[in-house]
Amino acid sequence: EAQLSESGGGLVQPGGSLRLSCAASGFTFSSYAMTWVRRAPGKGLEWVSTISGSGASTYYADAVKGRFTISRDNSKNTLYLQMTGLRAEDTAVYYCAKDGAVGDGYSDFDYWGQGTLVTVSS
Amino acid sequence: SYVLTQPPSVSVAPGETARITCGGNNIGSKSVHWYQQKPGQAPVLVISYDSDRPSGIPDRFSGSNSGNTATLTISRVEAGDEADYCCQVWDVTSDLQAVFGGGTKLTVL
């Protein structure tokens, strides 16, 4: 069974940077698109970014475009989210999620990590 | 950008049927996925591709999608079903992006 485990969250000042990691196991990592989703306090789920299985294609929400970078290392079965220019409104629990079908996305998110909390505050 | 609209809350008594709607322009032409999230836990996929139930999800959970509304139906509601429920689609009109509804809090009275 697939397992995902996020790390790298914490407290950061506005304008600061943070890199999140998501370690994957239990499936052929390189065959599946991967996605970051966040949930801010009192809000609903918000899509952040998706990367294809090969890493060749990346997609971003307008709210993070130009500030966040998604990447993956298929040799290490690890997904990353480099976050720069952080703002108070980026405060949220960040989840990594696995696409439900082999390919480059467009499917459901069938496995999720437990999330890592990012707090942006001075 | 594509918008999904859900009611903020739905309340039902145990044993009754809960229906949670997800509205979107011609959503019937898209595949809708539904997630359940309990406090402090990760989201769980409960319905995929409008009406498919993943392994391990009780058959009390069902889904439909037509026109401008998708619906998650939970029959014989139990106390353990109390959670936030969120719909999701993919929008490819401009660039690929996943879209989530605002979420619905299901309260079991």
Side-chain angles (χ1 to χ4, degrees):
Chain A
E1 179 172 298
Q3 290 192 331
L4 302 170
S5 179
E6 303 92 339
S7 61
L11 174 64
V12 61
Q13 293 187 338
S17 300
L18 213 54
R19 188 177 85 157
L20 306 184
S21 299
C22 170
S25 61
F27 64 101
T28 304
F29 184 66
S30 60
S31 294
Y32 295 87
M34 296 292 295
T35 290
W36 288 99
V37 176
R38 66 186 181 185
R39 186 167 188 180
K43 300 287 186 65
L45 296 173
E46 180 186 17
W47 173 74
V48 173
S49 182
T50 294
I51 186 168
S52 62
S54 66
S57 299
T58 58
Y59 309 93
Y60 298 93
D62 289 343
V64 306
K65 200 171 292 183
R67 300 187 299 124
F68 290 11
T69 302
I70 191 172
S71 62
R72 63 193 298 159
D73 185 336
N74 287 342
S75 68
K76 295 182 179 179
N77 290 350
T78 302
L79 173 72
Y80 302 101
L81 185 68
Q82 179 68 48
M83 305 185 293
T84 62
L86 283 162
R87 306 166 181 167
E89 54 264 37
D90 295 318
T91 294
V93 175
Y94 285 73
Y95 300 95
C96 61
K98 169 188 167 292
D99 212 68
V102 171
D104 283 346
Y106 306 99
S107 184
D108 52 43
F109 303 128
D110 63 347
Y111 287 92
W112 297 65
Q114 284 302 309
T116 186
L117 176 63
V118 172
T119 303
V120 184
S121 174
S122 55
Chain B
S1 60
Y2 195 77
V3 176
L4 295 175
T5 301
Q6 297 183 236
S9 62
V10 168
S11 299
V12 295
E16 298 298 309
T17 297
R19 293 179 179 84
I20 298 172
T21 59
C22 176
N25 184 33
N26 197 25
I27 195 174
S29 67
K30 300 180 181 296
S31 294
V32 179
H33 313 299
W34 289 92
Y35 304 91
Q36 174 197 69
Q37 188 174 25
K38 298 179 180 179
Q41 298 185 21
V44 173
L45 178 68
V46 294
I47 291 290
S48 63
Y49 294 99
D50 300 339
S51 58
D52 291 342
R53 262 181 300 104
S55 173
I57 301 301
D59 61 6
R60 300 184 297 103
F61 289 78
S62 61
S64 63
N65 183 20
S66 179
N68 292 320
T69 305
T71 303
L72 172 68
T73 302
I74 308 172
S75 304
R76 305 182 300 282
V77 166
E78 303 173 356
D81 297 332
E82 188 163 288
D84 292 329
Y85 292 85
C86 189
C87 55
Q88 178 252 317
V89 301
W90 286 96
D91 180 31
V92 296
T93 51
S94 56
D95 198 2
L96 178 68
Q97 60 176 341
V99 180
F100 287 96
T104 297
K105 168 68 176 178
L106 175 66
T107 299
V108 181
L109 300 171

